[in-house]
Amino acid sequence: KMKKKIWLINQYAMPPQYEMRIQTLKRAYYLQQLGHDVTIISGSYLHNTDINLISENKKFIKVNYEGINFVHFKTPSYKGNGIKRIWSSIWFPLSIILFSNPLDKPDVIAQIATVPFGNLLFFYAKKIKAKYIVDVVDLWPESFVAFGLMSKNNVLVKLAYRAERWLYKKADAVIFSMEGGRDYIIEKKWNKENKGPIDLNKVHYINNGVDLTDFNFNKTNYLIKDSDLEDTSNFKVIYLGSIRLVNNVMQLILAAELLKDHPSIKFLIYGDGDERPKLEQYCKEHKLSNIIFKEKFVELKYVPYILSNSSLNLLNYKPSSIFRFGGSQSKSFQYMASGRPICSNVKMAYCPISKYNLGVSADFNSPQEYAEAILQIANLPKKEYQNICENNKKAAELYDYKRLTGIFNEIVQQLFK
């Protein structure tokens, strides 16, 4: 197999000690194992922190973290989603184009799509004669439209769609992290069969995943002393993640309230977000002792221990039309690896929970329906429950980063045939 020099460009990729979204790191690691020479290209400002890795006048710094090569290009720090963040999104691709001369040129550039500003990097790839792969982890601007944040008739949205279509047309390969990426292109009539410019043969699917080697190591080596987690007499329902409006955790709280007379069912909620104080207040006022708010921030290495001590793990969202293209929630693969059933309060297309019988996924129209689904899993006969646990472990193997990187490698090899 051909060994190539590959740049993985992701403005938001962070050093391993800070990183929560580890796909880029894992892809770099396993591509190296396959013999490629890999560098992650990212910004110096670490999103949602106070950390900028470059304070002086350098244009970029080269760093090696745990055997993975990074080049951080200097990007401005910002707070929130204002004009400074937009400038940062423009400056990042520009600075790669302007200042990357001293770096060895890659054979392949794989870039996390940041439409429209990131589109500039296509021209850079062409200039240095590198193959150009675009990696779509968020359907943007489609998700803004789906969540009702912008109208699809908004001029900026229309321009963003055009920039997106252009990017998919120009790229040598397009990889979607949601399984319905091709459906998205067909629905937009951007494919050749619909007289559009995009050849569906270059459109691929690689979801987020989990590193099973890490997961199983961390599960036994990074433990938390916590009597609620260790209590084997209770049926422990765990939510782990952001607590914002889109996560719709209130629906879960109301479902839990309906189950307060089942003393052995306990809800443990990990994570933070602007909705958390309000929800904690609600639980206090309604004296809901079956809901326990836990750590606001959990280091990634402790997640396997928490999830593996659960009885049921929850995926919880506001319903959205974006889910018709499937999902790519990285925690769902951690959930699978923990070998516990999953309950999702939204039904997504291409749903692995239904496909591999991993638990329950449905659009619950009321807290009542949600509560009944939880109860149904809590009351399963032991053998049936164990089956679902086994199914989760088997499904996790399909999403192991080592296997997923093999698929990415095949796509790279195809580009040079």
Side-chain angles (χ1 to χ4, degrees), residues 111-129:
Q111 179 206 348
I112 299 277
T114 47
V115 176
F117 316 119
N119 292 20
L120 293 169
L121 288 165
F122 166 77
F123 297 104
Y124 176 71
K126 278 290 145 276
K127 188 181 131 195
I128 63 168
K129 299 190 168 47

Side-chain angles (χ1 to χ4, degrees), residues 17-19 26 48 51 87 99 127-128 146 149 191 200 202 233 261 301 309-310 318 340 343 347 349 361-362 376 405:
Q17 74 206 76
Y18 302 110
E19 189 60 279
K26 288 299 169 188
N48 282 340
I51 302 165
W87 170 239
F99 308 125
K127 188 181 131 195
I128 63 168
L149 301 172
N191 56 322
L200 287 178
K202 68 175 187 185
S233 63
D261 300 329
K301 62 186 181 193
N309 277 286
S310 158
K318 254 186 155 44
R340 294 291 180 268
C343 178
K347 184 86 179 132
S361 82
Q376 179 198 332
T405 305

Side-chain angles (χ1 to χ4, degrees), residues 385-411:
Y385 181 86
Q386 281 316 125
N387 274 344
I388 294 177
C389 293
E390 285 309 308
N391 293 345
N392 272 281
K393 284 188 174 151
K394 280 193 202 113
E397 289 170 16
L398 300 173
Y399 299 100
D400 188 359
Y401 275 126
K402 185 174 181 179
R403 181 178 175 273
L404 298 178
T405 305
I407 300 171
F408 182 88
N409 181 46
E410 286 303 313
I411 295 167

Side-chain angles (χ1 to χ4, degrees), residues 4-7 37 96-97 99-109 124 127-130:
K4 295 293 173 194
K5 193 168 180 47
I6 300 174
W7 280 7
D37 174 355
I96 294 173
I97 293 167
F99 308 125
S100 60
N101 241 355
L103 302 171
D104 292 343
K105 298 296 167 272
D107 307 303
V108 180
I109 285 178
Y124 176 71
K127 188 181 131 195
I128 63 168
K129 299 190 168 47

Side-chain angles (χ1 to χ4, degrees), residues 92-327:
F92 174 69
L94 270 179
S95 60
I96 294 173
I97 293 167
L98 294 171
F99 308 125
S100 60
N101 241 355
L103 302 171
D104 292 343
K105 298 296 167 272
D107 307 303
V108 180
I109 285 178
Q111 179 206 348
I112 299 277
T114 47
V115 176
F117 316 119
N119 292 20
L120 293 169
L121 288 165
F122 166 77
F123 297 104
Y124 176 71
K126 278 290 145 276
K127 188 181 131 195
I128 63 168
K129 299 190 168 47
K131 298 288 184 190
Y132 179 72
I133 299 173
V134 65
D135 217 337
V136 185
V137 295
D138 283 309
L139 284 178
W140 191 97
E142 184 72 28
S143 39
F144 281 153
V145 174
F147 284 110
L149 301 172
M150 292 174 105
S151 151
K152 65 174 192 289
N153 300 319
N154 178 313
V155 175
L156 290 174
V157 170
K158 284 184 165 169
L159 285 171
Y161 278 129
R162 290 183 69 159
E164 182 191 21
R165 187 181 87 154
W166 178 89
L167 188 65
Y168 300 167
K169 177 180 90 175
K170 293 291 192 189
D172 294 301
V174 182
I175 301 173
F176 284 97
S177 68
M178 58 299 294
E179 199 167 346
R182 297 169 74 117
D183 304 343
Y184 173 72
I185 288 175
I186 293 165
E187 189 181 290
K188 290 265 177 282
K189 299 198 171 5
W190 291 349
N191 56 322
K192 293 225 151 120
E193 294 74 1
N194 276 317
K195 311 268 187 287
I198 297 164
D199 179 358
L200 287 178
N201 290 318
K202 68 175 187 185
V203 177
H204 308 272
Y205 157 63
I206 302 177
N207 215 316
N208 266 309
V210 57
D211 190 306
L212 290 178
T213 310
D214 286 1
F215 189 94
N216 294 324
F217 176 84
N218 291 346
K219 180 168 84 176
T220 47
N221 288 282
Y222 292 101
L223 317 182
I224 294 174
K225 290 300 295 163
D226 181 328
S227 55
D228 292 316
L229 269 182
E230 290 156 13
D231 188 343
T232 50
S233 63
N234 283 332
F235 186 86
K236 291 161 283 189
V237 182
I238 289 186
Y239 174 80
L240 187 146
S242 296
I243 306 178
R244 301 201 171 89
L245 262 174
V246 315
N247 307 102
N248 197 15
V249 183
M250 190 62 190
Q251 189 189 31
L252 160 61
I253 300 277
L254 295 172
E257 184 172 9
L258 294 170
L259 296 170
K260 66 173 187 278
D261 300 329
H262 295 265
S264 64
I265 302 181
K266 287 275 186 280
F267 290 80
L268 309 181
I269 296 179
Y270 292 85
D272 200 11
D274 44 19
E275 289 278 291
R276 178 163 167 153
K278 192 177 92 179
L279 299 177
E280 286 190 83
Q281 189 55 37
Y282 182 91
C283 294
K284 246 196 218 83
E285 284 169 10
H286 293 75
K287 301 191 174 46
L288 301 178
S289 58
N290 62 336
I291 304 172
I292 304 157
F293 281 85
K294 292 289 184 184
E295 284 84 354
K296 290 185 173 176
F297 176 76
V298 178
E299 257 187 280
L300 216 50
K301 62 186 181 193
Y302 293 110
V303 167
Y305 178 76
I306 292 172
L307 297 180
S308 308
N309 277 286
S310 158
S311 315
L312 173 64
N313 294 316
L314 300 181
L315 285 173
N316 207 87
Y317 299 98
K318 254 186 155 44
S320 162
S321 59
I322 200 79
F323 295 136
R324 70 189 183 278
F325 304 117

